[in-house]
Amino acid sequence: MNTDRSDIARKVEDAILATRGVRSVYRPGSLIANLVGAGAAAVGIVSRAEPVVAVTVIDDETTVDGALGIEYTSPAVETLRLVRASVAAALADANLTATRIGLTIAYVHPRETS
């Protein structure tokens, strides 16, 4: 069974945003895919309130994909390690275990915005 679980995705996204060093979360994928998603939200095809983290459950496999904006003072490797632990904990609360967590640092917030 292929299921996209937006309730779980919201919990995972909240856990990511609560992780030290993370400032923002973006949809995974290319610039074009993100522009199409933003356009769909602008015209009301999809809700702006939808989580941007993708969580997919297929049988016993759970995958998570997301892109992060991190603080300039946060070491990237350490931040990714903390986010992976946050994602694993959020999934464990739903009795799920990630078989793959794909995270990309898409933006490092400059000092002026920190």
Side-chain angles (χ1 to χ4, degrees), residues 21-26 67-71 104-109:
V22 175
R23 294 275 302 269
S24 51
V25 179
Y26 308 104
L68 311 174
I70 65 169
E71 296 175 2
T104 303
I105 294 177
Y107 186 73
V108 177
H109 291 269

Side-chain angles (χ1 to χ4, degrees), residues 30-107:
S30 69
L31 175 62
I32 299 299
N34 278 290
L35 288 173
V36 169
V43 296
I45 296 172
V46 296
S47 170
R48 291 182 194 270
E50 290 289 319
V52 295
V53 173
V55 176
T56 304
V57 179
I58 302 173
D59 298 326
D60 292 334
E61 296 190 10
T62 304
T63 62
V64 177
D65 290 289
L68 311 174
I70 65 169
E71 296 175 2
Y72 84 99
T73 57
S74 298
V77 173
E78 175 66 11
T79 302
L80 288 172
R81 186 187 66 73
L82 292 171
V83 171
R84 288 181 62 83
S86 295
V87 168
L91 291 174
D93 286 344
N95 296 318
L96 296 170
T97 302
T99 53
R100 187 181 61 74
I101 301 173
L103 299 170
T104 303
I105 294 177
Y107 186 73

